[in-house]
Amino acid sequence: VVYLRVESARFAMSAVSAAFYDYPSRDMAIIGVTGTEGKSTTVSLIWQLLTLAGKKAGFISTVDYCLGGEVMANPEHQTTPEATTIHEKLAAMRDSGCEFAVIESSSHGLSPRTNRLGDVLFDAAVLTNLTHEHLEFHGTREQYKTDKANLFRSLDSHDHLKKGRLIPSFGVVNEEDTASSYFRSATSKPVYGYSTWDDCPRGACATGITEDAQGSTFTFSSSAQVFRARINLPGAFNVYNTLAAAITVFRIAEIPLTDLVGLFEKLTPIKGRMTVVDEGQPFEVLVDYAHTPSSFQAIFPPLRRRISGKIISLFGSGGERDTVKRPEQGRIAADYSDIVILSDEDPRGEDPVELLQAIAAGCPERTIGTDLFIIPDRSEAIRKAISLAGSGDLVLLLGKGHENSIIYADRTIAYDEIQEARAALREAGFGQGKAAL
């Protein structure tokens, strides 16, 4: 038996996987998307724009993936799979004729400790934002930032000739994020920005944003071109995700901006990202994956401005993960919500009630049983939220989004937040039964 002895089998697995599948990333234009929030949506929007423009593309994300055919649900909670799976899926995309592949690139996947993406030849790198997350793995925020920037550093190794076309490598960053300059400095390649500022000399910007329950209307500007645009994606933060996707597709696929902006209204949200649950009730129910202080800070203010009634927010926090964020989650939710309900997310090996009490410590001005409830059972908690909602209110279900299970110390139960909310609304008398009356 012939074998190779290496310092780290896991690190070496990346190079072995690339070779085993005959280096699939050499044959497609590869786009990596990293950041704390917005990665899955931005990956989807890039893929949608490419597909709507007539390009064959695949993608890999936390929520789902496409190998060149139908979009399939990702059954795992893992954002970036191991190197063996990454190259297997890239090979399937290549073999199905894809010209482009979009990969959601997590900090774990970009870290040399796992090296899941170490042998993927990226042509474009996108940064959505950088905030507090995953310190239980990286140790410090600086290391977290450094690991994510590996995506941009990888651009310097090449400009690829793929299928007869030279693809100059480039980066895309959110200009409004304080880390954008750090990511710019991580590569010598051109880096384009996006923002909601009035001036965008190196990328794209959106101004005059008007938000409603269904989406946003805004003025899109890039390369001295100005368009009035509309997206049917709830949440003002989706304007940022759309800008990132548009500038990336414009640069890598050379599709005219006029054509791209015309496709914006056809973009669809992904499951569990500001998903509307409507059973005919007189109040709104939204399901979103937001689970960090920064994502809370992104979604709550515009909702507070738009909602005239009460905001009833329901969320938890992952067990055996970053504990520092828990009281901060509670504080932000309490600042913008009329009622806060704390419930299981994925307690894992922690005591569910103690975990939720750590979140409640961030909103000491709230009274348990009046405007603060600790209800570990997620299904029961959703029914409580709906029972408290009236006309013009919003029930905001956060943290689970697209995920298909809740993980406890001794068991994992199947769970679908959207279907659970729909079932609770019907039990409350809304939906088909009420419509028939």
Side-chain angles (χ1 to χ4, degrees), residues 138-437:
H138 300 280
T140 66
R141 178 166 177 164
E142 190 61 32
Q143 187 62 52
Y144 175 58
K145 180 170 67 173
T146 296
D147 286 338
K148 279 193 172 294
N150 285 334
L151 177 62
F152 282 68
R153 295 186 187 100
S154 72
L155 299 175
D156 280 8
S157 62
H158 56 274
D159 279 331
H160 289 134
L161 185 67
K162 298 188 175 181
K163 294 192 174 181
R165 182 167 75 93
L166 180 66
I167 302 177
S169 301
F170 65 92
V172 174
V173 297
N174 179 352
E175 296 278 25
E176 296 179 30
D177 194 280
T178 56
S180 61
S181 59
Y182 178 86
F183 281 76
R184 280 186 181 278
S185 67
T187 179
S188 64
K189 300 296 182 179
V191 177
Y192 305 98
Y194 63 94
S195 71
T196 57
W197 296 336
D198 291 335
D199 187 29
C200 47
R202 297 182 292 182
C205 61
T207 55
I209 302 170
T210 303
E211 184 189 5
D212 54 52
Q214 287 72 45
S216 299
T217 303
F218 56 95
T219 297
F220 176 91
S221 305
S222 182
S223 301
Q225 300 180 71
V226 180
F227 309 89
R228 195 62 182 162
R230 168 75 189 181
I231 56 171
N232 296 311
L233 305 168
F237 56 85
N238 271 317
V239 174
Y240 289 89
N241 297 330
T242 303
L243 290 175
I247 197 65
T248 302
V249 173
F250 169 61
R251 292 290 173 183
I252 203 164
E254 299 177 343
I255 298 169
L257 287 173
T258 305
D259 296 346
L260 289 177
V261 175
L263 299 173
F264 283 3
E265 287 194 64
K266 297 181 180 179
L267 296 172
T268 58
I270 60 176
K271 180 181 179 181
R273 301 305 195 274
M274 295 300 281
T275 298
V276 176
V277 182
D278 187 358
E279 289 292 328
Q281 73 276 4
F283 51 88
E284 291 185 47
V285 177
L286 290 175
V287 173
D288 193 76
Y289 188 52
H291 60 282
T292 64
S294 56
S295 59
F296 278 23
Q297 197 62 59
I299 68 169
F300 271 112
L303 288 172
R304 182 70 279 176
R305 289 192 294 269
R306 185 173 64 77
I307 299 298
S308 58
K310 300 190 302 293
I311 292 181
I312 303 166
S313 60
L314 185 156
F315 62 95
S317 195
E320 300 175 356
R321 297 294 186 269
D322 186 4
T323 60
V324 176
K325 71 177 185 180
R326 294 174 186 174
E328 188 68 4
Q329 286 177 281
R331 182 191 66 78
I332 297 169
D335 284 347
Y336 294 99
S337 306
D338 299 278
I339 298 173
V340 175
I341 300 176
L342 303 178
S343 189
D344 289 346
E345 189 176 302
D346 284 314
R348 297 183 176 88
E350 293 193 47
D351 180 271
V353 173
E354 289 181 4
L355 191 159
L356 299 177
Q357 287 173 337
I359 303 173
C363 39
E365 71 282 4
R366 296 305 179 103
T367 303
I368 290 183
T370 302
D371 53 8
L372 174 65
F373 298 86
I374 296 179
I375 306 174
D377 184 281
R378 190 95 178 184
S379 298
E380 180 186 343
I382 288 176
R383 283 153 179 80
K384 178 65 175 179
I386 288 171
S387 74
L388 296 172
S391 180
D393 292 348
L394 167 65
V395 174
L396 187 58
L397 308 177
L398 302 174
K400 292 307 292 179
H402 65 283
E403 292 183 347
N404 53 21
S405 65
I406 299 179
I407 304 169
Y408 293 90
D410 57 349
R411 68 195 189 283
T412 297
I413 63 171
Y415 181 80
D416 185 314
E417 186 100 302
I418 296 168
Q419 293 307 315
E420 195 65 44
R422 200 173 298 283
L425 286 167
R426 289 178 176 175
E427 289 173 19
F430 304 108
Q432 295 176 351
K434 186 171 182 178
L437 296 175

Side-chain angles (χ1 to χ4, degrees), residues 76-122:
E76 308 294 337
H77 288 200
Q78 191 175 37
T79 297
T80 304
E82 297 293 346
T84 48
T85 303
I86 285 287
H87 289 280
E88 177 188 28
K89 283 182 163 51
L90 287 175
M93 294 179 202
R94 174 198 59 200
D95 296 344
S96 70
C98 288
E99 302 174 71
F100 302 88
V102 195
I103 302 175
E104 184 172 351
S105 306
S106 68
S107 57
H108 291 67
L110 291 164
S111 168
R113 289 171 58 188
T114 70
N115 202 35
R116 295 172 190 167
L117 298 171
D119 291 87
V120 175
L121 301 179
F122 288 100

